[in-house]
Amino acid sequence: MSAGRDAVRSPDLTAARAALARAAKDTEAVLTGLGEPARRSPEQRTAGAAAVDATRALRAAFLDTHAEAVYGELTEGGTLRLRLAELARSAAPAFPGLVPTAEQVASDRARTQAHKEGHEIDQGIFFSRVLRSPSAGAHLLDSMLLPTSRALELLPEFAAGGKLELRSVRLERVGAVTHLTMCREDSLNAEDDQQVDDMETAVDLVLLDPATEVGLLRGGVMTHPRHRGRRVFSAGINLKALHGGDISLVDFLLRRELGYLHKLIRGILVEGGADWRRTTFDKPWVAVVDGFAIGGGAQLLLLFDHVIAASDAYVSLPAAQEGIIPGVANFRLTRFAGPRLARQVILEGRRVHASEPAARLFVDEVHEPPELDAAVERSVERLRGSAVLANRRMLNLAEEPLDQFRAYMAEFALQQALRMYDSDVLDKVGRFSLSSSARGSHAP
């Protein structure tokens, strides 16, 4: 092992790359010889885990030495702006054994979560080391703030008509306010890869649309049997999709945080523009909570400039029950709610009801459901003030410095990848799928 570490830490990147490729190839041969993960005996699983762990130690050592050089090569000295998925795809052939190949990712994606090889952990190692680098990490954060190609393609249609319907989000501009309505009616707006893609597209369109001054997010009316005919904000991550292997590290857990959630705070990056005054373009945001904001729904509330809740709504972050990390909530919630309440909510699963005084740490206003629309109108009008943008930008910079966010995300990339494959998480989502298959989330 010591010789292997020395080889991958060689200052000669070509030699280090070759050493890592050999080690990864040997480990892959071991796994192939053990057969499909679902059919392995306990002894075979132990042998496979030992081989994989040894190679992961080499990947980490390689990146501890060469992360900036690797990122520089993949981005051609920082001249290419690669998003997370593009970066991972480029790294696989350029640095064999560093991250899973497209074929390995596809093979794992076809399996349930409990029967995957866990190649996403290798992606977690890669992104954690890239984000740890002040130069590479900052470049990647900026790259993820660029508008998506999908949004740029849809912008003319939305700008002209003021309406657009995506699979999980509807957009409608009313005056100077664009309403985003989450519309996964059958699953209580439970989040999956598709929802993340749609939400980033929708956020980009709000930020790009010259006629929009304020963005408004609200849940739609549900067809789900337990909440039929009622608005619901969000039930958080779709645990049924997680058990089925359909929640990905790159396209959901990392893209969500570095993509549209970060854009809600920072805005979109503008490169090569004529306006020297700013490099990002942001807008104020309002959220309206009907029913509940669970998990990822609660995380969203920590990003908005103004949050309005129905009097019968509640907020929760059941991270301990799910076994995974609730995004960047661990970084932000202490700032909003203080350390004691943050631990009660995240570690102990406390629900905070809108009727409680503690709810004012999550939301700005609480109203009876019939009064919500009027409260929204008053709020968005206040956020159209001429000095709002400059002040929200300075508030966000003071509250969440970019380097602190980058450092958190570097550790999150690795720890969340590990949690996805821990035995307790696999057991929990498996039991959930069997007992709650009709719900599609952890909602009540």
Side-chain angles (χ1 to χ4, degrees), residues 54 82 90 138 154 171 242 331 380 392 414:
L82 300 181
S90 298
L154 292 171
L171 296 87
L242 177 58
F331 179 57
V380 297
R392 84 180 292 271
L414 177 58

Side-chain angles (χ1 to χ4, degrees), residues 272-343:
D275 191 348
W276 53 268
R277 298 170 185 83
R278 58 198 302 188
T279 57
T280 56
F281 194 79
D282 61 320
K283 292 178 183 178
W285 292 88
V286 176
V288 184
V289 181
D290 301 272
F292 41 77
I294 299 173
Q299 295 166 36
L300 275 169
L301 305 186
L302 306 177
L303 305 168
F304 282 77
D305 300 293
H306 198 81
V307 179
I308 301 168
S311 57
D312 58 353
Y314 69 86
V315 177
S316 72
L317 279 161
Q321 293 92 322
E322 296 169 350
I324 58 177
I325 300 168
V328 189
N330 302 53
F331 179 57
R332 297 178 176 134
L333 186 58
T334 299
R335 185 173 76 238
F336 277 79
R340 296 269 51 91
L341 182 58
R343 281 167 170 76

Side-chain angles (χ1 to χ4, degrees), residues 13 17 20-21 62 66 69-71 73-74 90-99:
L13 180 58
R17 180 180 352 215
L20 179 62
F62 172 80
H66 298 291
V70 168
Y71 189 82
E73 181 174 324
L74 295 175
S90 298
F95 294 88
L98 182 60
V99 295

Side-chain angles (χ1 to χ4, degrees), residues 157-164 171-174 178 209:
E157 177 184 350
F158 177 69
K163 290 186 178 182
L164 196 65
L171 296 87
E172 182 177 8
R173 190 194 319 116
V174 180
T178 290
D209 179 36

Side-chain angles (χ1 to χ4, degrees), residues 192-246:
D192 55 18
D193 286 15
Q194 179 66 53
Q195 196 262 6
V196 168
D197 186 46
D198 288 346
M199 280 296 296
E200 184 166 12
T201 301
V203 168
D204 281 353
L205 289 170
V206 169
L207 295 170
L208 291 165
D209 179 36
T212 297
E213 296 180 22
V214 181
L216 172 69
L217 181 65
R218 192 172 187 180
V221 177
M222 299 292 105
T223 60
H224 187 284
R226 293 174 66 89
H227 297 273
R228 190 183 307 275
R230 296 169 52 195
R231 283 186 182 267
V232 161
F233 188 70
S234 174
I237 192 170
N238 190 318
L239 292 180
K240 185 178 179 182
L242 177 58
H243 169 261
D246 294 325

Side-chain angles (χ1 to χ4, degrees), residues 390-411:
N391 279 291
R392 84 180 292 271
R393 191 172 302 123
M394 298 310 293
L395 283 167
N396 287 333
L397 180 63
E399 292 174 351
E400 190 170 304
L402 274 169
D403 274 350
Q404 291 183 18
F405 173 71
R406 176 183 56 78
Y408 179 93
M409 286 305 302
E411 189 64 17

Side-chain angles (χ1 to χ4, degrees), residues 27-83:
T27 298
E28 191 61 28
V30 170
L31 295 178
T32 300
L34 295 174
E36 271 293 306
R39 298 190 180 93
R40 290 172 191 166
S41 67
E43 293 76 17
Q44 288 176 318
R45 287 196 292 270
T46 299
V52 167
D53 189 64
T55 305
R56 284 179 178 153
L58 297 181
R59 287 190 182 97
F62 172 80
L63 286 166
D64 286 340
T65 304
H66 298 291
E68 291 187 2
V70 168
Y71 189 82
E73 181 174 324
L74 295 175
T75 61
E76 297 183 7
T79 60
L80 297 180
R81 289 290 190 186
L82 300 181
R83 289 174 61 83

